[in-house]
Amino acid sequence: MKIFISYAREDLAKVEKYIKSLKRESSINLFWDKDIEAGTNFLDVIAKETNEAIALIVFVSESACKSEYVQKEVSTVADQHRQIIPIYLEDVSKKGNTGLMFRLKNIQGILDYEIGFDESDEKLRNSLKALIIKEYLRQVAKTCGQLTFIGMPELKDKKDLSLDDIFVPLKAHKQIPSADVIGELETEDGRELELEFRRSPGIQPEERSKSVKLFDELKDNDKMVILGAPGSGKTTFLRYIALILA
């Protein structure tokens, strides 16, 4: 998940302070023109990166308002309805209705020229962390929310189904450990099971399991081991958990 940096060359010294700070955050993956390798087509790289970025940070100044590249970069991201975060290095509110300001007029920005670098940098990092988490959860929901028919040739032409529409809550047999295993458990659940066996010493092996709803077990247990034959729904169950958590 990459963040594109858009700025005018005249503002490089100010922009570099933000870049240096943001690169300390391992979760934030930035792209700016300094990352372009020698010998590559500059415009092709810019087009590719703006199309792939989940968001764009634009450093707004009088020079940026005059920059054709900045306006194109912002327009590309805006047209694809992805997030734009303006950092105002200068007060450009009186510069007229430039193309850049027209694009940014309804977007809340960070006023560096009023609150200074330190506060602006903190606001920016917090905004990016929230954005990355939101995008990650969106990708999880997208990946886990569709049921694909892999390995089923007769259904290869069918559209993916929404897992939320067809999922059926699963039941399973909860295995109650044997007495010798229970004696080795030091958890509160283990002690409770040990007491249960002591109260019912005549329990038979076939009685050492019971039918349970998996969602109920999730509420009561921090850890679970789910065993089952291929096709019994283990992976689909885990995908559905990821979907509802996202």
Side-chain angles (χ1 to χ4, degrees):
M1 293 182 282
K2 194 168 290 185
I3 310 296
F4 190 96
I5 305 295
S6 180
Y7 71 102
R9 289 295 180 89
E10 293 83 352
D11 302 318
L12 178 59
K14 293 180 179 179
V15 172
E16 281 183 320
K17 291 178 65 178
Y18 283 93
I19 298 296
K20 184 177 180 180
S21 174
L22 292 174
K23 284 191 172 181
R24 296 194 194 106
E25 300 284 349
S26 59
S27 62
I28 298 176
N29 184 17
L30 300 176
F31 174 85
W32 67 323
D33 59 357
K34 298 298 183 183
D35 294 327
I36 299 176
E37 297 180 359
T40 56
N41 185 299
F42 179 91
L43 292 179
D44 286 348
V45 174
I46 293 294
K48 175 179 179 293
E49 295 295 338
T50 50
N51 279 310
E52 293 180 355
I54 65 168
L56 176 142
I57 301 169
V58 55
F59 291 90
V60 184
S61 66
E62 184 172 355
S63 297
C65 288
K66 297 176 181 178
S67 169
E68 181 181 352
Y69 287 115
V70 172
Q71 293 190 42
K72 286 182 177 179
E73 290 159 2
V74 170
S75 294
T76 298
V77 174
D79 289 343
Q80 296 184 27
H81 306 289
R82 283 175 277 134
Q83 187 160 338
I84 297 173
I85 303 175
I87 309 292
Y88 288 89
L89 301 175
E90 300 170 0
D91 183 0
V92 293
S93 59
K94 299 179 181 178
K95 299 300 179 182
N97 191 18
T98 66
L100 178 61
M101 295 310 297
F102 179 79
R103 282 289 193 180
L104 301 177
K105 65 179 181 178
N106 294 323
I107 302 175
Q108 180 65 40
I110 299 173
L111 306 182
D112 173 284
Y113 67 89
E114 280 191 359
I115 62 177
F117 170 77
D118 290 339
E119 188 173 345
S120 296
D121 179 59
E122 182 178 3
K123 285 178 175 287
L124 177 59
R125 284 187 285 111
N126 289 339
S127 295
L128 289 178
K129 289 176 183 178
L131 172 65
I132 290 169
I133 292 173
K134 180 180 178 181
E135 177 63 18
Y136 170 75
L137 294 177
R138 188 188 72 82
Q139 292 288 350
V140 169
K142 179 180 178 180
T143 302
C144 297
Q146 300 295 317
L147 186 64
T148 56
F149 300 103
I150 299 174
M152 301 176 70
E154 63 275 15
L155 297 175
K156 66 180 181 179
D157 296 327
K158 296 285 186 180
K159 293 183 179 180
D160 291 347
L161 297 176
S162 170
L163 183 57
D164 199 32
D165 291 338
I166 64 172
F167 182 79
V168 177
L170 300 181
K171 289 185 177 181
H173 287 285
K174 181 177 181 180
Q175 190 70 36
I176 300 174
S178 60
D180 57 337
V181 173
I182 290 173
E184 298 177 3
L185 299 177
E186 298 180 355
T187 63
E188 183 177 345
D189 288 342
R191 288 191 292 272
E192 289 179 359
L193 283 171
E194 185 175 12
L195 290 174
E196 181 178 336
F197 264 99
R198 288 177 179 175
R199 287 193 297 266
S200 307
I203 189 170
Q204 299 300 312
E206 61 270 16
E207 296 175 316
R208 290 191 175 127
S209 69
K210 59 181 179 179
S211 179
V212 295
K213 296 179 179 179
L214 285 182
F215 277 119
D216 290 342
E217 291 300 306
L218 280 178
K219 296 175 184 177
D220 299 331
N221 297 278
D222 294 331
K223 299 179 180 66
M224 289 173 56
V225 177
I226 302 175
L227 305 177
S232 59
K234 302 184 300 297
T235 300
T236 302
F237 177 66
L238 294 176
R239 286 167 66 99
Y240 188 72
I241 293 172
L243 175 63
I244 60 178
L245 290 177

